[in-house]
Amino acid sequence: MNKESKTIRDPIHGDIKLEGLFLDLIDAPEIQRLYDIKQLGFAHLVFPGAHHTRLEHSLGTYYMAFQAGEKLNLDKNEKEIVACAAMLHDIGHGPFSHTLEFILRETIGIDHIDLTEKLIFGEHAIFDPKEKEFIGSPNVFDILNKYAIDQKEIIRLIRGKTNKKPYLSQLLNSSIDVDQLDYLVRDAYYTGVAYGMIDIERFLQTLIINKNKLAVRKKGVGVVENILMARTLMYSSVYFHKTVRIAELMLSKAIEIISDKEPFKFFKMTDAELINELKKMGSFQHEIVTRLKYRTLFKQAYTINESNLDKKSVNLVKRLENIKLRREKEQEFEESLNIPTGHIIIDVPFQELHQAEPRINQTNIIIVDEKETKTLDDYTPVAKAIRLRPIPDWVVMIITDEKYRDIVAKRAEKLLYR
Amino acid sequence: MNKESKTIRDPIHGDIKLEGLFLDLIDAPEIQRLYDIKQLGFAHLVFPGAHHTRLEHSLGTYYMAFQAGEKLNLDKNEKEIVACAAMLHDIGHGPFSHTLEFILRETIGIDHIDLTEKLIFGEHAIFDPKEKEFIGSPNVFDILNKYAIDQKEIIRLIRGKTNKKPYLSQLLNSSIDVDQLDYLVRDAYYTGVAYGMIDIERFLQTLIINKNKLAVRKKGVGVVENILMARTLMYSSVYFHKTVRIAELMLSKAIEIISDKEPFKFFKMTDAELINELKKMGSFQHEIVTRLKYRTLFKQAYTINESNLDKKSVNLVKRLENIKLRREKEQEFEESLNIPTGHIIIDVPFQELHQAEPRINQTNIIIVDEKETKTLDDYTPVAKAIRLRPIPDWVVMIITDEKYRDIVAKRAEKLLYR
Amino acid sequence: MNKESKTIRDPIHGDIKLEGLFLDLIDAPEIQRLYDIKQLGFAHLVFPGAHHTRLEHSLGTYYMAFQAGEKLNLDKNEKEIVACAAMLHDIGHGPFSHTLEFILRETIGIDHIDLTEKLIFGEHAIFDPKEKEFIGSPNVFDILNKYAIDQKEIIRLIRGKTNKKPYLSQLLNSSIDVDQLDYLVRDAYYTGVAYGMIDIERFLQTLIINKNKLAVRKKGVGVVENILMARTLMYSSVYFHKTVRIAELMLSKAIEIISDKEPFKFFKMTDAELINELKKMGSFQHEIVTRLKYRTLFKQAYTINESNLDKKSVNLVKRLENIKLRREKEQEFEESLNIPTGHIIIDVPFQELHQAEPRINQTNIIIVDEKETKTLDDYTPVAKAIRLRPIPDWVVMIITDEKYRDIVAKRAEKLLYR
Amino acid sequence: MNKESKTIRDPIHGDIKLEGLFLDLIDAPEIQRLYDIKQLGFAHLVFPGAHHTRLEHSLGTYYMAFQAGEKLNLDKNEKEIVACAAMLHDIGHGPFSHTLEFILRETIGIDHIDLTEKLIFGEHAIFDPKEKEFIGSPNVFDILNKYAIDQKEIIRLIRGKTNKKPYLSQLLNSSIDVDQLDYLVRDAYYTGVAYGMIDIERFLQTLIINKNKLAVRKKGVGVVENILMARTLMYSSVYFHKTVRIAELMLSKAIEIISDKEPFKFFKMTDAELINELKKMGSFQHEIVTRLKYRTLFKQAYTINESNLDKKSVNLVKRLENIKLRREKEQEFEESLNIPTGHIIIDVPFQELHQAEPRINQTNIIIVDEKETKTLDDYTPVAKAIRLRPIPDWVVMIITDEKYRDIVAKRAEKLLYR
């Protein structure tokens, strides 16, 4: 059996060829684990095709980084390191991808990039000691050593902090990075929501390096507008779909109320391992896991939308953005209405959206014309408009068990504003 | 919130609208569980996009049954019952779909249709008693009662045994049934292997009822040839891909060696529940589950292909098709070569293929020309050729842990033929 | 041969079924002629796949009108008349579609809707008297009579002037009409430029009639933003692609300088008939036709872009928008630089764009939420931004034969501003 | 304006980049003319999307030849010459592609490859002398000289007659050549008939050179079966669609009865030029051209199908395959039934199919396994079955003006067999 190269069929990019470093990396336990992390958390509860995983997204990002490297005429080493960072950029992702990110950051202060870093530096093992015997491949740290890849540089690229060659980092971390391109097109494919369909070839054609930074040729203005639009529409209709959001809030709550959470413990699990772990915990966790399995979700009892936001509610939202005050308010509801713990969740999504996707505010891309360099806003008013466009359309939402919905709905105003 | 109808976006068929009976069924625990049963077992280990589930296939089959009913001008009741049987035809599927079918049939004598029947007749609950409280929907049996659907007729349709209207049953169980059409197109989409792409619209146009049987208009000869070709190519390249097969054999072995298996216990689990259950069992099960998680698969040590089959090996194959003799031979290998139990698996796939997909031999479709009725073979020699085409190309394969590969390879001939 | 219904395969919408009135209309000479009118004029010179014709667009618009009628629960008569108007809305289109529209409107004062009206009222025959004998089908006027369709109502629908049921007219004439939807998706398909790809099913789901007007449900805001974006990007990159524009300007000039043009004479021709007619005319026409055949196009000698527009040039543009003054200026160039007549063309595209597609300014769509009715601008800032986005990016362009390019480039500023 | 490279968007292959030799060739008058030659003759009368031209097919074949060259690791010169032959292989095609091929071969003894040869050797100009002045590019012969390409080798490659490196010629002329791959996928795209959809990437992966010949790796057996199946289904349902065939027979007849046809005169025209030329000729030509314009086609009056062929009719077919006897028989019909000349056409398609596509019988492809070399028939019975499959399903068809249909139908048997 020839182990020199391997071709994997990806429904998005077609055949992806792997050799050397990349052929080794794909077998590493940190990458293989991504087979069990759904790319879009609970989106399949609304879009039944959305079971795709971080593994294929990692592969796709690797592929696109490599293609972009070719188009930009990067040298062999640059191409290798950016493609390597692309393949590894998500290995620290916890179960259900972004679902638990916010709650774990709030409660134990770490996020998936912290775990990614630990894994790349070999300071942490992704697997259980009992599993080790049956893992046929070295881990990522050892593979990088074998190929003399500088782990620190990989982390700098992933964190968007390379000083020497900003364009390399921007290929993975900017408004026009390949990570985003891959996930938009991939999520569009598996959800069946066409918004994310972007002309990848055309995009790659327009990339250019300008004064060490990643930029876009003037003929690419349309492609970039298209990408920004695709992203905002995918956020509205898929990533912040209300039902998907409710499922995510439920799981987050089940985790949140666990006391003394060990750092990284939850991050390291696969989707299925987390569900199984929760099932064995307290009765609330068992309830939530069963509800998610059979799609018996909490219902929306009260909502303030962008369009009916007044001065009074603006102040309320400001207060509720503080997670501590929000949790206190939830408790108030539970106590006043005699609702068991965990069955009232108040969602104030704005902050979380912007932490999950900071690129949403970065639309000011460098545009290179024959002689001059401007920014996207000089060519089109659309980019700015997209930045100002609200996602999602609710600013506060209260969800609860169906049987409490009516009482919560009736008393919400009063309780919220007291 | 209007609960009268709901539209679900399917990447294959587009928007699928559900009302009444079907809106209730989609929420039933038996259907919701299918979210956690992968359509293609371990195919994602080779085709990383193949994480789609029985839920969306059930939805797709429902949709196609309904469309076919429209094209055939079936009456309202006929359309309803065939679409209902279509939606329910897979509710008894065990974890990883067909993967464990063979071993459970051999060892405890039941298959997924038996469980389907029990569920439809309300003789069995899909869920754990502890889960019941958090399931917001009635089960399938009760929903069918509510809408006065005859459960027995549903089962007859699923088993292909309706006497009154054979065409209804054939819509779900024949060489040109909609179950197959949906899975071919769906699997092609998620694996990225284009072979399964069939022109569904064109197919539906050519259906006709002839003397109470499902038939195809003469202009549909090409479509049918295309379907048969698509099926055989998908079997060769996806369903019986060698690596996928190895993973399936490993999991089957882990189940097989469990003594006193309770009927339906394994069938009722989800993919993740089975994996978790096995992890807690003996050390061999733990090993297999870990290997599958990290893709540390057994390797092929010896193979007899269709093309190097001689008289001697034909006799061997015949003996090995007997599962008892096959297991004895595996034990012989393990004992002679000092290999721990479960680490030698001999695969003789022919029989299993034909049990898994009996439709593979049914190519003789009725073709209706203006005046006369013939069969597909009267119009094209291709159908028969496809029946004779070998899938897969190996007739015997021995797999084992990588560290025993060389010794097994060296001693295989001798041990097999002694 | 059963003539009761016929199914036509369209690459965009799949199978389109025609019966009764529509089966007759498709055979009418006015519709059959559209086989010979390219949808996008000379776009194939840049996008080699763009040879699609008004015939398939007419068929597609018919299909979409019908589908929209179904979704909106229109009654049988409404569906029929709107689908009929959809199928006929382009029968008056001249050769190369919009290419000659502007010049014919300027010089003889009629446009394609005037001819459409004449044809529908039976006041004009599309064919040559000598051809009549070999046309096997009645013309549109007679077919409409046969089915008792009110020709006046058809025209009102096409002209956007129905008073009784504005929503019917808006289905064909508004920012969210089906004409536009069909052409965007179709042109995207044949050019390979993905911008125009819109989720038609999702769009149709969101349509609603509100106080007798066509409106969109709130959940459709994203779809509508997507359509507006698609349109603006298709205009920039395809319809006003600079090379395509140059070819169109050349053909227009060849027509323009023909003295005493008979009304409708040019409108009635097919693409090929026009080319052939021009070839036999004066030497300038022969030159242009040959240049177009072999793609020996005029070159751009001087351009003022949106981004380098200053006060002085704004005044110039204002003057040049007057076609008479523009023609005088062209003559000045020709005389000063000793360039033969017709070899200098000054393009000031703004006005023409807005005449060709008045919908480009109509983005203020009615949005219907559960209780209230607002407009698109209340929900998103993107619509307005798209209205303000410049298409194309040049405001003045001078083109000429390659051999005069340098001299024109050198002298342009001086000549333009004197 | 940088003329060093140019990227053309093809709906099938995406961006196609042209440089050097190929950038020059694409502008040559011989290639530009192909913009006006429809790839599928009159197929648009049945499949309204099928207006694509030989130009894009030439570009696509060039692209695929280049890709295949890369996969096969051909050297720079080999890649260049095979891609060059690919781009030029159709420059001698007459109007409506294959439509007139048969009749011109029968009546003046030349075919499109003869004209291709003349053009490549510079022995003939594709353009009219009057056009020369406005053609901005040198012709193919001169461009080849400029780049020192051996014209004779190009012709040998196109004719399938290279002795030195058969694999180069086979890339353009064999059962698995890229010409065929491009046209199948392209025709599927524009007709909307999915049969031709082939996985091009997978195909290219499996190519290999074996003993100087083009062969396929064993894993490619499925791809090749898929290609053969696609081809046979596209022939049945598109290329030999009965209505398309009738239109082609009508045009052929209009040409056939022109006495003293000048060699190459008709071959050199574009579709539109031919139509225009015929319109000015005799009244029969004018009739045919008008009928085609308005789709007033001849009707089928009598047919013998493959399935009702008996001994007597076999003999008849054998006689009618002789074109002279067939023409006499047509005359007999016309005289006996008092039908004007040209209004009876007897079609005996078998011979013509096999002249148009000799590859239809070449299915015996070399398959290379790890150690051994076999042929496709050793692996699958499907290839042979496809060779034996009848296309089209009629063996004799008589068509005539609708008004003579009944009388012809009634008298056909008698007249045919007398």
Side-chain angles (χ1 to χ4, degrees), chain B residues 215-352:
Chain B
V216 166
R217 286 192 181 83
K218 199 195 134 198
K219 67 168 179 172
V221 166
V223 192
V224 173
E225 289 175 280
N226 198 29
I227 292 172
L228 298 179
M229 194 71 194
R231 193 178 58 190
T232 201
L233 291 176
M234 287 301 279
Y235 266 91
S236 295
S237 51
V238 178
Y239 311 147
F240 274 75
H241 186 284
K242 218 174 245 178
T243 307
V244 176
R245 179 74 181 160
I246 288 173
E248 293 179 346
L249 290 168
M250 289 169 70
L251 189 73
S252 291
K253 183 57 85 186
I255 301 277
E256 185 192 344
I257 67 176
I258 299 167
S259 47
D260 50 74
K261 288 185 281 292
E262 209 181 297
F264 297 126
K265 181 182 166 191
F266 289 100
F267 262 116
K268 284 169 59 180
M269 294 179 185
T270 64
D271 295 357
E273 286 167 354
L274 174 70
I275 292 296
N276 188 54
E277 189 69 20
L278 290 175
K279 212 193 299 182
K280 296 184 306 191
M281 285 186 150
S283 65
F284 180 66
Q285 282 81 11
H286 178 268
E287 173 185 340
I288 292 298
V289 159
T290 308
R291 283 174 173 277
L292 290 171
K293 180 176 172 189
Y294 296 105
R295 215 177 170 280
T296 315
L297 303 182
F298 283 178
K299 302 293 177 197
Q300 173 183 352
Y302 178 82
T303 320
I304 303 174
N305 284 335
E306 182 80 26
S307 57
N308 49 28
L309 201 64
D310 56 18
K311 210 190 249 172
K312 197 176 121 200
S313 49
V314 165
N315 285 326
L316 173 71
V317 172
K318 217 167 284 169
R319 255 175 301 132
L320 291 177
E321 281 198 337
N322 179 318
I323 189 170
K324 245 189 97 198
L325 296 178
R326 192 152 82 245
R327 295 315 173 226
E328 283 171 21
K329 188 60 86 180
E330 288 172 357
Q331 221 177 318
E332 248 181 86
F333 268 80
E334 289 168 354
E335 284 164 8
S336 311
L337 304 175
N338 207 16
I339 292 173
T341 302
H343 289 73
I344 287 282
I345 305 177
I346 302 176
D347 183 34
V348 188
F350 185 81
Q351 217 179 359
E352 193 169 334

Side-chain angles (χ1 to χ4, degrees), chain A residues 195 218 223 225 389 393, chain C residues 195 218 223 225 389 393:
Chain A
Y195 294 148
K218 200 194 133 199
V223 192
E225 289 176 281
R389 189 181 175 278
D393 68 350
Chain C
Y195 294 147
K218 199 194 133 200
V223 193
E225 288 176 281
R389 188 181 176 279
D393 70 350

Side-chain angles (χ1 to χ4, degrees), chain A residues 192-195 199 202 218 222-223 225-226 229 233 237 307 374 379-382 385-386 388-390 393, chain C residues 192-195 199 202 218 222-223 225-226 229 233 237 307 374 379-382 385-386 388-390 393:
Chain A
V193 175
Y195 294 148
D199 189 333
R202 212 176 168 102
K218 200 194 133 199
V223 192
E225 289 176 281
N226 197 30
M229 194 72 195
L233 291 175
S237 52
S307 58
K374 297 188 171 182
Y379 287 98
T380 172
V382 172
I386 291 174
L388 297 174
R389 189 181 175 278
D393 68 350
Chain C
V193 176
Y195 294 147
D199 190 332
R202 210 177 170 102
K218 199 194 133 200
V223 193
E225 288 176 281
N226 197 30
M229 194 72 196
L233 291 176
S237 51
S307 58
K374 298 189 170 180
Y379 287 98
T380 173
V382 172
I386 290 174
L388 298 173
R389 188 181 176 279
D393 70 350

Side-chain angles (χ1 to χ4, degrees), chain A residues 289-321:
Chain A
V289 158
T290 309
R291 282 174 173 277
L292 290 171
K293 180 175 172 189
Y294 295 105
R295 215 177 170 281
T296 315
L297 303 182
F298 284 179
K299 302 293 178 197
Q300 174 184 350
Y302 179 82
T303 320
I304 303 174
N305 284 336
E306 183 80 25
S307 58
N308 51 27
L309 201 63
D310 56 16
K311 209 189 249 171
K312 198 176 120 199
S313 49
V314 164
N315 285 326
L316 173 71
V317 172
K318 217 166 283 166
R319 255 177 301 133
L320 290 178
E321 282 200 336

Side-chain angles (χ1 to χ4, degrees), chain A residues 30 88-93 110-126 140-141 144 150-161 264 267:
Chain A
E30 292 91 343
L88 298 175
H89 82 287
D90 267 354
I91 56 171
H93 248 297
I110 54 169
D111 69 12
H112 82 269
I113 303 185
D114 296 320
L115 178 54
T116 302
E117 182 168 327
K118 292 251 176 245
L119 293 173
I120 286 176
F121 287 161
E123 297 168 358
H124 204 99
I126 199 66
V140 162
F141 174 75
L144 295 179
D150 178 2
Q151 285 96 345
K152 283 194 195 122
E153 185 61 15
I154 295 286
I155 283 297
R156 277 193 296 264
L157 285 175
I158 291 176
R159 286 206 184 272
K161 291 189 172 157
F264 296 126
F267 262 117

